[in-house]
């Protein structure tokens, strides 16, 4: 059975309140009774001692006892004097013979002990009772008995309890009102959370809960806003990747269709002998180039998947960085010259890099090709220095640069700063730099990029050296 939050809150508040009042009333009543009884007994004991002292000489004028009787009567207290045979010889007019002390109490008095009883019911009413022994020359001569009804104490306690009852009723009314207001307030906040949750469940992440409270519900609302924000970011990222994936598939399809169409046309021409003999060598060369182009596309995709799934193993060695740069220059110099670019090396012979040789070449070739493709009539520098427990490699060009918006996404798979650049002059597939970052991280290194549009780009790679 589901119990509404209002009833839960109300029940808890009322239960706690009633329990607290019951405990307080019980303790307070007990304290008041004990306090009143103790005061009354102490008062009666004091009068009993004074009256008993009148018998110390052995002779007493009964007239001297009347003032005590008058004083005590105003306090609704009676006193009786018994002789050693427990026979009363001074008592009030309404005294009854049955109003005597018990045998055990009389024995205590004979031993010189004072008898005190704070709630005795043997008389007509509940009373506080004190009996003081009388000794003359160390000989027991009787006792003084003082009796005071406790009805006044009970009346006072009943009056206090009545006021406490009124307080309980008033507090309950206030508690119910406050509980109702609090529950409405909290239920409204919870309802907003439920509505927001329904929107998120339906796929609407553009939601923000206004929250100015620091309680648990407020913290929950803040956590909900963080969750919705992250879900929105994840959805946007998925949408962005899906868009790039579709664009990538379109680009790959175009890249494959173009060489396949060219190869198919050339093969048909060769097969039907419609191509002149002097052009056949050029056809074979063109078929070879288009085939290599398709192989590059397939290889780049396979490389990315292997790197992403950690299916490759690095064989790290200490390699002189100048040798790596010279091999790259030899390999890429022709491409650079086609764009009227100059490849320049700046590195000391002693600089060593600790890396997998083949993968290092793949990293640097990818970046350098990028620099060549986006630079015209410029310079491309290959620099290397030894830092603190690391090798720093910089590839700097004077090309067209990259915008700040594109730099944030340049490492993402399928991303291309200009999706119209699908020819070989500008990089075909949008996977090269993503592969580069993956490989650098597999070397426990870092790669950063600095660029300004129209002024060039610098890639900075830091690869750790082994501990000596």
């Amino acid at each position: 059975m589901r119990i509404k939050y209002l009833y839960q809150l109300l029940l808890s508040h009322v239960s706690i309140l009633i329990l607290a009042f019951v405990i307080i009333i019980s303790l307070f009543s007990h304290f008041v009774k004990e306090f009143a009884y103790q005061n009354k007994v102490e008062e009666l004991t004091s009068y009993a001692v004074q009256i008993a002292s009148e018998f110390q000489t052995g002779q007493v004028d009964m007239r001297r006892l009347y003032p005590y009787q008058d004083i005590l009567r105003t306090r609704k207290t009676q006193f009786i004097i018994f002789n050693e045979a427990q026979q009363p010889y001074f008592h009030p007019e309404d005294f009854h013979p049955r109003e005597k002390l018990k045998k055990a109490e009389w024995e205590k008095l004979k031993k010189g002990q004072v008898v005190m009883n704070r709630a005795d019911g043997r008389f007509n009413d509940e009373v506080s009772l004190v009996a003081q022994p009388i000794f003359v020359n160390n000989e027991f001569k009787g006792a003084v008995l003082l009796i005071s009804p406790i009805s006044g104490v009970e009346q006072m306690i009943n009056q206090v309890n009545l006021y406490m009852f009124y307080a309980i009723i008033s507090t309950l009314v206030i508690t119910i009102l406050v509980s109702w207001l609090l529950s409405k307030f909290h239920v409204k906040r919870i309802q907003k959370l439920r509505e927001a949750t329904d929107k998120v469940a339906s796929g609407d992440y553009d939601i923000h809960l206004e929250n100015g409270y620091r309680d648990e519900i407020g913290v929950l609302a803040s956590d909900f806003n963080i969750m919705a924000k992250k879900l929105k970011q994840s959805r946007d990222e998925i949408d962005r990747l899906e868009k790039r994936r579709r664009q990538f598939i379109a680009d790959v399809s175009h890249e494959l269709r173009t060489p396949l169409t060219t190869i198919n046309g050339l093969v048909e021409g060769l097969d039907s002998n419609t191509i002149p003999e002097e052009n056949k060598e050029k056809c074979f060369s063109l078929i070879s180039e288009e085939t290599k182009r398709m192989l590059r596309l397939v290889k780049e995709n396979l490389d990315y998947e292997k790197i992403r799934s950690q299916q490759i193993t690095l064989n790290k060695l200490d390699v002189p960085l100048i040798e790596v740069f010279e091999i790259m220059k030899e390999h890429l110099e022709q491409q650079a010259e086609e764009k009227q670019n100059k490849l320049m090396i700046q590195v000391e012979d002693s600089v060593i890099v600790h890396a997998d040789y083949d993968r290092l070449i793949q990293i640097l070739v990818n970046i350098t090709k990028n620099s060549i493709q986006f630079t015209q009539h410029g310079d491309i520098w290959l620099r290397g220095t030894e830092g603190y427990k690391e090798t720093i490699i910089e590839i700097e060009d004077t090309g067209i640069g990259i915008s700040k918006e594109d730099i944030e996404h340049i490492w993402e798979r399928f991303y291309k700063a200009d999706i119209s650049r699908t020819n070989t002059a500008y990089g075909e597939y949008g996977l090269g730099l993503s592969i580069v970052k993956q490989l650098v991280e597999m070397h426990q290194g870092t790669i950063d990029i600095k660029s300004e549009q129209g002024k060039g780009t610098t890639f900075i790679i830091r690869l750790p050296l082994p501990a000596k």
Side-chain angles (χ1 to χ4, degrees):
M1 181 178 66
R2 189 175 70 174
I3 302 177
K4 289 187 175 181
Y5 181 72
L6 167 63
Y7 302 139
Q8 295 179 33
L9 191 65
L10 184 61
L11 181 62
S12 63
H13 286 181
V14 171
S15 299
I16 293 172
L17 184 65
I18 291 176
L19 180 62
F21 269 114
V22 168
I23 294 173
I24 291 172
I25 291 173
S26 300
L27 293 176
F28 184 76
S29 298
H30 178 73
F31 171 77
V32 171
K33 282 184 179 180
E34 290 295 317
F35 182 76
Y37 292 158
Q38 185 64 32
N39 282 348
K40 179 59 69 175
V41 168
E42 289 176 358
E43 180 186 356
L44 296 180
T45 302
S46 174
Y47 280 113
V49 170
Q50 293 180 41
I51 294 172
S53 65
E54 298 289 341
F55 294 88
Q56 295 298 319
T57 59
Q59 298 291 330
V60 60
D61 186 354
M62 292 299 175
R63 289 176 297 181
R64 297 183 60 181
L65 299 178
Y66 291 122
Y68 290 106
Q69 190 178 46
D70 295 336
I71 293 172
L72 291 174
R73 185 179 294 115
T74 61
R75 298 179 179 273
K76 298 182 179 179
T77 302
Q78 298 178 347
F79 78 91
I80 307 163
I81 300 177
F82 296 92
N83 60 19
E84 62 271 20
Q86 202 178 355
Q87 298 296 324
Y89 64 89
F90 187 88
H91 54 78
E93 296 178 355
D94 56 351
F95 172 73
H96 301 286
R98 63 182 180 84
E99 296 173 351
K100 294 183 179 181
L101 295 169
K102 296 178 181 178
K103 184 176 180 181
E105 294 171 338
W106 193 256
E107 292 298 325
K108 289 177 66 176
L109 290 170
K110 287 182 178 181
K111 295 177 182 179
Q113 298 176 6
V114 178
V115 175
M116 300 179 184
N117 197 327
R118 292 181 291 176
D120 199 308
R122 80 185 75 164
F123 302 100
N124 293 332
D125 197 0
E126 292 286 326
V127 297
S128 291
L129 177 151
V130 173
Q132 175 75 25
I134 298 174
F135 282 88
V136 177
N137 298 326
N138 294 326
E139 183 179 353
F140 180 71
K141 293 296 184 178
V144 179
L145 174 64
L146 279 80
I147 302 169
S148 179
I150 62 175
S151 57
V153 175
E154 293 293 342
Q155 289 176 359
M156 180 182 67
I157 293 174
N158 290 336
Q159 189 69 25
V160 170
N161 289 341
L162 181 62
Y163 289 142
M164 293 291 284
F165 175 76
Y166 292 151
I168 290 176
I169 298 299
S170 302
T171 307
L172 281 176
V173 172
I174 296 173
T175 299
I176 292 172
L177 179 61
V178 172
S179 298
W180 182 80
L181 292 174
L182 279 176
S183 66
K184 294 291 286 184
F185 172 69
H186 290 312
V187 166
K188 186 177 180 181
R189 296 170 68 193
I190 294 172
Q191 187 61 35
K192 287 183 179 179
L193 272 172
R194 290 186 60 191
E195 292 171 357
T197 303
D198 291 339
K199 288 184 178 180
V200 170
S202 63
D204 181 9
Y205 305 130
D206 296 314
I207 187 169
H208 179 80
L209 290 174
E210 295 297 331
N211 178 48
Y213 303 95
R214 295 295 181 182
D215 58 3
E216 286 78 1
I217 298 179
V219 172
L220 180 61
S222 298
D223 292 343
F224 181 88
N225 288 334
I226 294 172
M227 179 196 71
K229 182 180 179 181
K230 289 183 177 179
L231 286 173
K232 185 177 184 298
Q233 291 173 347
S234 298
R235 184 193 63 184
D236 293 344
E237 179 66 18
I238 291 171
D239 292 343
R240 188 163 56 248
L241 288 175
E242 179 62 20
K243 182 179 179 181
R244 290 177 196 157
R245 184 189 66 82
R246 288 195 296 267
Q247 183 63 46
F248 169 75
I249 292 174
D251 290 345
V252 170
S253 299
H254 174 74
E255 296 292 339
L256 286 174
R257 184 171 60 251
T258 301
L260 285 173
T261 301
T262 302
I263 293 171
N264 183 63
L266 292 172
V267 170
E268 287 180 354
L270 291 171
D271 185 58
S272 62
N273 291 318
T274 57
I275 297 176
E277 190 67 29
E278 63 272 15
N279 291 334
K280 285 186 178 180
E281 184 177 349
K282 184 178 180 180
C283 289
F284 286 125
S285 176
L286 188 56
I287 290 172
S288 176
E289 289 298 323
E290 293 298 314
T291 303
K292 289 178 182 178
R293 182 178 174 187
M294 287 190 295
L295 287 174
R296 283 199 307 273
L297 172 61
V298 175
K299 182 178 181 297
E300 193 164 307
N301 276 281
L302 290 176
D303 276 353
Y304 182 85
E305 290 302 323
K306 287 180 180 179
I307 294 168
R308 187 182 62 83
S309 58
Q310 303 290 319
Q311 292 181 4
I312 64 171
T313 303
L314 299 180
N315 182 24
K316 295 183 182 180
L317 300 170
D318 287 340
V319 182
L321 188 56
I322 191 170
E323 292 184 10
V324 177
F325 282 171
E326 287 175 349
I327 291 173
M328 287 177 54
K329 184 177 180 180
E330 182 181 345
H331 181 70
L332 299 174
E333 195 164 29
Q334 184 179 351
Q335 294 183 33
E337 289 175 354
E338 291 175 359
K339 303 288 290 289
Q340 288 83 45
N341 294 324
K342 291 181 180 180
L343 273 177
M344 292 176 285
I345 295 174
Q346 186 178 347
V347 62
E348 298 290 335
D349 294 346
S350 60
V351 176
I352 300 297
V353 61
H354 186 70
D356 183 291
Y357 181 81
D358 292 334
R359 296 301 176 181
L360 178 61
I361 292 292
Q362 184 179 2
I363 291 169
L364 299 180
V365 165
N366 260 296
I367 296 175
T368 308
K369 277 186 174 181
N370 239 21
S371 296
I372 292 171
Q373 290 164 1
F374 292 99
T375 304
Q376 186 82 22
H377 303 288
D379 298 328
I380 298 168
W381 289 88
L382 306 178
R383 297 192 181 96
T385 57
E386 186 173 324
Y388 178 70
K389 295 184 179 180
E390 65 181 3
T391 302
I392 304 171
I393 301 171
E394 293 185 6
I395 300 176
E396 180 182 355
D397 64 60
T398 57
I400 63 175
I402 307 171
S403 68
K404 291 183 180 180
E405 294 78 11
D406 290 330
I407 287 176
E408 295 179 2
H409 307 288
I410 201 73
W411 307 113
E412 297 176 6
R413 189 183 184 188
F414 310 136
Y415 187 82
K416 298 175 73 172
D418 184 350
I419 61 174
S420 67
R421 293 169 178 168
T422 56
N423 53 53
T424 55
Y426 291 101
E428 299 166 343
Y429 318 122
L431 283 172
L433 291 180
S434 180
I435 291 174
V436 165
K437 187 173 180 65
Q438 294 274 354
L439 287 173
V440 170
E441 289 177 348
M442 288 184 68
H443 281 82
Q444 285 79 51
T446 61
I447 182 168
D448 296 311
I449 184 171
K450 295 180 181 178
S451 186
E452 188 175 347
Q453 284 187 297
K455 294 186 179 181
T457 302
T458 303
F459 287 87
I460 304 169
I461 301 171
R462 299 176 184 270
L463 297 178
L465 290 169
K468 297 180 180 180

